[in-house]
Amino acid sequence: MDKANAISILKLFNEKVDKLIKSRFVKHIQENKGMKVSIRASIGEKVNISHNLPDQDAIDAFVLTIRFFIQDNEPTSLSNMAKLYDNIPVSSSIKDDFDWVRNKLNSELRKKSMFNLQNKHLLRGEIFDTFIYGGLAHANKEKKEDFDKWMSIEPLAAFVVAEFNNVLIYFLDCIAYIRKVNTRALDELIKDKNS
């Protein structure tokens, strides 16, 4: 890959991260100092669920941009960025920092969530994939069935949405770190290009 193309991809990645950081989703989390879901139940009364989760429009807009980092037809997908970092002439410390945060994200997605459905613990990555590919951005048949099932169980729905939002926040933290790594890489590539 030529340097000009690499520079363009790194800049695009950073622009998309900036867009997420300025999103209504993030603004909502910041203004509400996080997210809360609570459930109140008494014998003979309807279960009462309250929350301060971002609204669906804010989540949808956030997920639309997240796709730049997970769809392998995008040059900014994390998988394609790993290939880019394998091939660009930047210092090994920059490459190591990229690998470290990518591995950290993948490790987090392999962790069990708090949800055990039908004697199976859901992984955080399964929740992420099911929301994106079964409910919000695509309609994979199997994932859509799971998504619809989760959303049909009223007490579960709010909690699993909160867990998905937590995964989105973790994802953003990781790609924001990559943004800093990209900035260092850009400095080296542009300096080298000008010399």
Side-chain angles (χ1 to χ4, degrees), residues 28-86:
H28 177 90
I29 303 292
Q30 291 169 335
E31 289 171 357
N32 288 281
K33 297 177 176 56
M35 293 176 292
K36 295 179 186 109
V37 177
S38 61
I39 186 168
R40 194 179 83 226
S42 298
I43 296 173
E45 291 183 25
K46 188 177 189 282
V47 173
N48 184 12
I49 300 167
S50 60
H51 63 80
N52 69 345
L53 302 173
D55 64 51
Q56 195 60 52
D57 286 344
I59 294 169
D60 289 345
F62 195 84
V63 166
L64 184 63
T65 303
I66 283 284
R67 292 174 65 201
F68 279 90
F69 306 104
I70 61 174
Q71 295 287 120
D72 284 339
N73 61 337
E74 295 291 346
T76 53
S77 76
L78 294 177
S79 177
N80 287 329
M81 291 294 289
K83 293 172 191 165
L84 180 137
Y85 270 101
D86 283 343

Side-chain angles (χ1 to χ4, degrees), residues 174-190:
C174 290
I175 61 174
Y177 184 91
I178 291 172
R179 185 196 182 291
K180 292 177 185 174
V181 174
N182 289 351
T183 300
R184 290 168 45 214
L186 283 164
D187 288 346
E188 284 191 14
L189 290 170
I190 292 167

Side-chain angles (χ1 to χ4, degrees), residues 10 44 56 79 99 106 138:
L10 292 167
Q56 195 60 52
S79 177
D99 289 339
N106 288 333
H138 294 280

Side-chain angles (χ1 to χ4, degrees), residues 4-193:
N5 194 22
I7 288 168
S8 175
I9 292 168
L10 292 167
K11 286 181 177 180
L12 178 62
F13 187 104
N14 288 1
E15 287 170 18
K16 296 302 176 185
V17 172
D18 289 343
K19 182 175 183 176
L20 290 173
I21 290 169
K22 295 173 186 169
S23 70
R24 264 189 342 112
F25 177 87
V26 170
K27 205 170 287 185
H28 177 90
I29 303 292
Q30 291 169 335
E31 289 171 357
N32 288 281
K33 297 177 176 56
M35 293 176 292
K36 295 179 186 109
V37 177
S38 61
I39 186 168
R40 194 179 83 226
S42 298
I43 296 173
E45 291 183 25
K46 188 177 189 282
V47 173
N48 184 12
I49 300 167
S50 60
H51 63 80
N52 69 345
L53 302 173
D55 64 51
Q56 195 60 52
D57 286 344
I59 294 169
D60 289 345
F62 195 84
V63 166
L64 184 63
T65 303
I66 283 284
R67 292 174 65 201
F68 279 90
F69 306 104
I70 61 174
Q71 295 287 120
D72 284 339
N73 61 337
E74 295 291 346
T76 53
S77 76
L78 294 177
S79 177
N80 287 329
M81 291 294 289
K83 293 172 191 165
L84 180 137
Y85 270 101
D86 283 343
N87 293 306
I88 59 174
V90 295
S91 62
S92 60
S93 68
I94 292 174
K95 292 180 180 198
D96 290 346
D97 281 351
F98 174 83
D99 289 339
W100 173 82
V101 75
R102 183 170 180 241
N103 291 335
K104 184 178 171 190
L105 174 60
N106 288 333
S107 175
E108 184 66 24
L109 293 174
R110 288 190 295 270
K111 287 183 181 175
K112 290 179 182 176
S113 71
M114 68 172 127
F115 302 104
N116 186 328
L117 300 176
Q118 299 173 328
N119 294 321
K120 180 184 177 262
H121 260 102
L122 296 178
L123 301 179
R124 296 188 84 199
E126 287 177 288
I127 292 170
F128 182 78
D129 285 347
T130 300
F131 269 76
I132 291 176
Y133 296 108
L136 301 180
H138 294 280
N140 170 285
K141 187 177 187 241
E142 184 181 310
K143 292 187 186 319
K144 173 127 178 61
E145 287 172 7
D146 287 342
F147 178 81
D148 290 345
K149 193 182 319 174
W150 298 350
M151 294 302 102
S152 71
I153 305 167
E154 191 175 329
L156 173 67
F159 288 98
V160 78
V161 169
E163 182 71 0
F164 172 66
N165 288 342
N166 283 326
V167 174
L168 288 178
I169 292 165
Y170 192 87
F171 192 97
L172 176 59
D173 286 345
C174 290
I175 61 174
Y177 184 91
I178 291 172
R179 185 196 182 291
K180 292 177 185 174
V181 174
N182 289 351
T183 300
R184 290 168 45 214
L186 283 164
D187 288 346
E188 284 191 14
L189 290 170
I190 292 167
K191 180 182 173 188
D192 187 45
K193 188 177 171 188

